[in-house]
Amino acid sequence: MTSRKLFLALVTLAFLYVSAPLLFPVAMGGVVSVLFMPILFKIEKRQIPPSIAAAVLTLGITIVLIFPISILTFSAAKSGLAQLQGWRKPVGIIPTVGGTGLRDSFMNSAPVHNLLVSVTNLIPIEISDLMDTFQGLIDGVGSRMADLLGGVLGQVPGMLLGLLVMMVSIYFFMVDGRKLGRLIRKNTIFTSKETDRLLKTLSDTCRSVILAAVVSGAAQALLEVAGCIVSGTPNLLFIGFFVFLGSFIPVVGSSPVTLIVALQQFLEGRKVAGMILLITALLIVMVDNLIRPLFLKGSAHLHPLVAFIAAFGGLQTMGFLGVFLGPIVAALFVTTAEMFMQQSSK
């Protein structure tokens, strides 16, 4: 019996090693299938075979959700990389009013220059050294962002394969998801009640992490793009993409992006445009607070600090998909820990 278990463990490790590059797209496919499973049940009630219903729903998800987000991500990364390449150009040591782009607008603005002069009056440091420090910090941030976007563009073939794996995973999770649920209930180490609680946590977290975040993020990005159009601010796709991406970050949200875009207009002397974008940033916060609760009713909630760490940790270890998968793993961990603590206290 021991040798059989050892052989099973070795085979399992070998399978995980071979499939490791595709585990995250498969997991994301499972998350998306859980999210849209209620729609599948409604389609099946019309006497449509499960395989056909799953195929139709998978095709719809791909056309309406996956392809548009992938194309926008690629286009925004390409546009953002072109914009951030300019951050590596040197600027003058002593700033003057004028300049182009966020970096030059910041470094060459009179308010920043006056602020740095005030700092040098309080601290015994040369303004040239202080400017070099600020310039190095800004250039470092811009270069890091450019490297990240360049990495996204360089991984396009792998991303296409990952999308294909995710689409196939969505279909098979929808077709065989109920069988997988029964298999888990039959072989789990938890009681049936605890297993149902874990599965409910998974379903609720998928809804809160993906559905609420995607709907709210899309609304925020569209509102910011509208504000940019009204104010005449360029780089709409780049700005909208980072607002959408920032909306997934717990606690912080997209506010840093929207406020920086508004600040750029003020630094360039476009006060009306800056005021429009500042009002837009406030509206985005209100829209986020209105939309998310509509989709989070009855869903699993994580402590803000745990959600923040899970999102950034997932991003660091799993890439873009980690923004979604990190909080889900954290929610399952918290639920499991609570069950063990409740059991040990009895």
Side-chain angles (χ1 to χ4, degrees):
M1 190 66 179
T2 303
S3 59
R4 291 170 63 91
K5 291 182 179 180
L6 179 61
F7 178 75
L8 176 61
L10 292 175
V11 172
T12 302
L13 290 176
F15 173 75
L16 292 175
Y17 176 78
V18 171
S19 59
L22 302 178
L23 286 179
F24 295 146
V26 171
M28 197 63 198
V31 169
V32 174
S33 66
V34 170
L35 181 63
F36 287 93
M37 197 65 74
I39 299 178
L40 178 67
F41 295 155
K42 293 181 180 179
I43 296 176
E44 291 179 353
K45 288 181 179 180
R46 299 173 179 255
Q47 305 302 320
I48 298 177
S51 58
I52 297 178
V56 171
L57 188 54
T58 302
L59 182 62
I61 294 171
T62 302
I63 295 175
V64 176
L65 189 63
I66 296 178
F67 277 173
I69 291 179
S70 302
I71 294 173
L72 286 175
T73 300
F74 175 77
S75 301
K78 186 176 180 181
S79 173
L81 182 61
Q83 294 293 324
L84 292 174
Q85 291 294 346
W87 285 37
R88 297 192 173 108
K89 296 185 298 182
V91 297
I93 294 178
I94 302 299
T96 58
V97 178
T100 58
L102 177 58
R103 173 184 180 270
D104 293 338
S105 298
F106 182 82
M107 296 296 296
N108 296 330
S109 64
V112 172
H113 178 253
N114 295 333
L115 176 63
L116 294 179
V117 170
S118 300
V119 172
T120 57
N121 292 331
L122 298 174
I123 302 175
I125 185 174
E126 294 292 333
I127 188 172
S128 58
D129 296 335
L130 191 59
M131 282 300 301
D132 288 342
T133 302
F134 269 87
Q135 180 180 328
L137 176 62
I138 294 175
D139 289 348
V141 173
S143 298
R144 178 57 178 166
M145 293 178 65
D147 292 339
L148 290 174
L149 294 178
V152 171
L153 295 177
Q155 296 175 1
V156 169
M159 292 172 62
L160 292 176
L161 177 61
L163 290 175
L164 178 61
V165 172
M166 189 168 72
M167 291 162 50
V168 174
S169 300
I170 292 172
Y171 170 76
F172 282 108
F173 273 115
M174 286 187 174
V175 172
D176 299 322
R178 280 157 288 195
K179 294 180 181 178
L180 179 61
R182 290 193 293 268
L183 180 65
I184 292 175
R185 286 185 173 89
K186 184 178 180 181
N187 297 279
T188 182
I189 60 175
F190 301 101
T191 64
S192 58
K193 184 178 180 180
E194 292 173 337
T195 303
D196 290 339
R197 181 180 174 183
L198 283 173
L199 294 177
K200 186 178 185 302
T201 298
L202 175 63
S203 177
D204 290 346
T205 310
C206 290
R207 187 184 309 115
S208 63
V209 170
I210 297 183
L211 186 59
V214 167
V215 174
S216 177
Q220 293 178 52
L222 290 175
L223 190 57
E224 179 69 12
V225 168
C228 291
I229 293 175
V230 173
S231 62
T233 304
N235 305 319
L236 302 179
L237 187 62
F238 177 58
I239 295 173
F241 170 72
F242 272 97
V243 169
F244 179 77
L245 190 63
S247 67
F248 289 91
I249 301 175
V251 182
V252 178
S254 62
S255 295
V257 180
T258 57
L259 293 177
I260 288 174
V261 173
L263 176 63
Q264 178 190 1
Q265 304 307 307
F266 283 114
L267 293 177
E268 292 182 351
R270 304 179 66 228
K271 296 182 179 180
V272 175
M275 187 59 65
I276 291 174
L277 291 173
L278 185 59
I279 295 173
T280 302
L282 296 176
L283 290 175
I284 286 175
V285 174
M286 295 173 60
V287 167
D288 183 40
N289 291 330
L290 287 174
I291 291 179
R292 285 184 188 270
L294 295 177
F295 293 91
L296 293 178
K297 292 179 179 178
S299 298
H301 293 277
L302 285 175
H303 188 277
L305 178 60
V306 176
F308 184 82
I309 294 174
F312 272 102
L315 182 64
Q316 185 73 19
T317 56
M318 296 180 255
F320 180 71
L321 294 181
V323 178
F324 304 97
L325 296 177
I328 293 174
V329 174
L332 292 175
F333 165 73
V334 170
T335 303
T336 305
E338 288 177 350
M339 290 191 303
F340 273 107
M341 286 188 291
Q342 291 172 359
Q343 186 176 15
S344 61
S345 62
K346 293 180 181 180

